[in-house]
Amino acid sequence: MTLAERCRPDFAILNRRVNGKPLVYLDSAASSQKPRQVIEAVRRYYETTHANVHRSIHTLGEEATALLESVRDRVRQFIGAAQREEIVFTRGTTDAINLVAQAIGRTVKAGDEVIVTEMEHHSNLIPWQMLCRDRGAVLKAVPVIGEGFLDLEAFTRLLSRRTRVVAVAHVSNVLGTINPVREIAERAHAAGALVLVDGAQAVPNLPVNVQSLGADFYAFSGHKMLGPTGGGVLYGRRAVLDSLEPAWGGGEMIKEVWIDHAQWNDLPWRFEPGTPPIAPIVGLGAAVEYLSAIGMEAVAAHERALCRLTLELLAKNGDTTIYGPRNPEIKGAVVAFNVRGLHPHDVAHLLDQEGIAVRAGHHCAMPLMRRLGVVGTVRASFSVHTTPAEIEHLARSLSNLDLMI
Amino acid sequence: MLYSSVISERFRHPRFFGDLADADAVFEDVNPLCGDRVRIQLKLANGSVADARFKGDSCAICMASADLLVEIARGRAIGEVLALAPDDLLTRLEAKIRPSRITCVTLPLQVLKGALTAVGAAR
Ligand SMILES: Cc1ncc(COP(=O)(O)O)c(C=O)c1O
């Protein structure tokens, strides 16, 4: 039995029909579907354990706290972090990046520099734009070249003693490019800069080890990796987190409070003000269990094969243009393309008639769209339940499109 | 047919796509949903829209809507053009447009009114 065949019964939503056709869900990069193990874990939590965490002395409060904290240990192990104190729970990737921009922002001075790349999702661009605008810092972007790679020579030239942060996607949500994070981090560290990696499209699809990548910060969302919406993770290297003031204030992030000052709590809670998204994090824990039971190497191999098939079949269709690397070995679980003469939204609408869900538009990466010279693209993305037959259905439907509009 | 024969026909063969020599008003705007850009150029005379053209790299619905709108606006009094509502377009497009695509219909209307406002014709 293939991986997808084993997984499919876990995803009840795959029984749905859309426009009279079986659902073919090729939009996991926007948000993945949830296996019953995740849905069950959230339901069980609400039905048996729910209470606020950390400050409750009663049984439910203690159990909920233990559950939440056990997910922290599980996530630490999953991404190869050294200590549990390095795992900060957030509402998602966007929340995590804003947290870092806010915390580092306090130390940024006029004339300091932040480097992003042309392929960033807006969530790894706008927080840095806002920071630079507020502090009089300068924002620079590494160009995208060739089939969709970062220009590392240009990057090296952009680096200087003024560079405070380098913010880069591990995997592009459009091109699928797996960026050489380790090399980028080495060069950034040599210049004295910190490195934030947006792992939203990497953690769901590839084995990730934050230590071997050399990331100072690593952000990702639960809902793209089979978990619920509303929960995510910020990994922060201990020494760096220790050096930062909290981003936001509130309950839970303090030890002792007076009217005019307060003493901050220990890590990681110092960066988790307010009631955390307990249920989404419990669900994230179940998603990590689910992916770990399969093994991330196996998940990556499965999605690489789908990527290869998609690239092959689309290349046979003379009317499609593919964006991003053509080599599936160096690509995440997404393929972006356009169909000649058709707007991506019309293509998505047409495919929806066939039950196929794909993403179309700028994918929250407008600077990259401008770089590619397109208004948008169509994007197919894969998960553990995606089958080669579904990809073939996509390719077949694409070859008949023009007749339908 | 995905949307309607009106949309299909106007998308494939728009009648008013292009530029206008010495236009009196030019305006463009972007659909926040998709980043699509539509530009409308107007020629005004005697309180009316004497001529108009549109341009844009946009989806079939938006192209058809812009083409239809320009056709409706040509030769009409500015006041009448300003009073046009999305329903005037939706009825004539003869398509059921999903809520997620409604901005594709309304963007050209917004741009046309923007052009009139820009030259002060709206006052
Ligand atoms: C590369 C990348 N970064 C960041 C995000 C934002 O994630 P979220 O909306 O879950 O915060 C996404 C997904 O939309 C993404 O693909």
Side-chain angles (χ1 to χ4, degrees), chain B residues 55-101:
Chain B
K55 253 197 172 164
D57 199 354
S58 54
C59 67
I61 298 175
C62 191
M63 284 277 270
S65 173
D67 198 53
L68 172 66
L69 176 65
V70 165
E71 183 174 290
I72 295 175
R74 287 170 87 240
R76 285 215 189 205
I78 288 169
E80 275 182 88
V81 172
L82 285 169
L84 287 172
D87 270 347
D88 298 319
L89 296 170
L90 283 166
T91 331
R92 293 186 55 177
L93 289 172
E94 292 172 12
K96 253 185 84 78
I97 304 291
R98 292 180 180 187
S100 64
R101 303 290 298 275

Side-chain angles (χ1 to χ4, degrees), chain A residues 65-283:
Chain A
T65 305
L67 196 53
L68 183 81
E69 293 302 325
S70 74
V71 176
R72 206 183 300 276
D73 293 318
R74 201 69 193 78
V75 168
R76 180 202 66 74
Q77 193 184 5
F78 189 62
I79 61 167
Q83 309 175 17
R84 69 189 319 278
E85 288 79 4
E86 299 178 320
I87 306 299
V88 176
F89 291 134
T90 68
R91 269 87 191 151
T93 308
T94 304
D95 188 38
I97 296 171
N98 276 286
L99 189 164
V100 175
Q102 191 74 21
I104 291 184
R106 300 191 202 289
T107 72
V108 167
K109 291 184 282 298
D112 283 354
E113 294 180 2
V114 174
I115 298 179
V116 294
T117 85
E118 274 183 350
M119 65 169 81
E120 295 314 305
H121 187 283
H122 296 162
S123 87
N124 199 24
L125 170 60
I126 306 296
W128 304 113
Q129 271 183 13
M130 293 167 73
L131 160 65
C132 289
R133 192 196 56 200
D134 288 351
R135 311 292 300 190
V138 180
L139 187 63
K140 299 191 162 171
V142 183
V144 171
I145 53 172
E147 282 183 347
F149 302 104
L150 293 178
D151 183 342
L152 290 188
E153 284 176 25
F155 168 59
T156 307
R157 285 195 301 274
L158 290 178
L159 274 171
S160 78
R161 296 237 145 261
R162 290 184 298 275
T163 311
R164 296 292 311 280
V165 181
V166 175
V168 60
H170 191 173
V171 173
S172 159
N173 65 316
V174 178
L175 304 163
T177 315
I178 303 174
N179 287 317
V181 168
R182 193 191 178 127
E183 202 176 333
I184 290 169
E186 277 168 11
R187 296 190 198 183
H189 288 152
L194 293 172
V195 177
L196 177 137
V197 180
D198 172 354
Q201 296 297 344
V203 179
N205 312 104
L206 304 171
V208 168
N209 184 300
V210 290
Q211 290 189 79
S212 66
L213 288 173
D216 297 297
F217 300 102
Y218 195 99
F220 56 100
S221 299
H223 72 96
K224 293 183 196 283
M225 52 184 291
L226 315 183
T229 55
V233 173
L234 172 68
Y235 157 82
R237 198 154 56 76
R238 178 71 186 259
V240 181
L241 287 184
D242 272 333
S243 73
L244 288 176
E245 288 282 298
W248 294 295
E252 272 333 307
M253 47 77 69
I254 35 70
K255 265 193 183 147
E256 206 175 353
V257 178
W258 295 263
I259 279 296
D260 60 349
H261 68 287
Q263 190 193 350
W264 306 144
N265 203 344
D266 296 330
L267 291 176
W269 305 292
R270 192 195 306 168
F271 291 99
E272 295 179 354
T275 301
I278 310 170
I281 297 298
V282 168

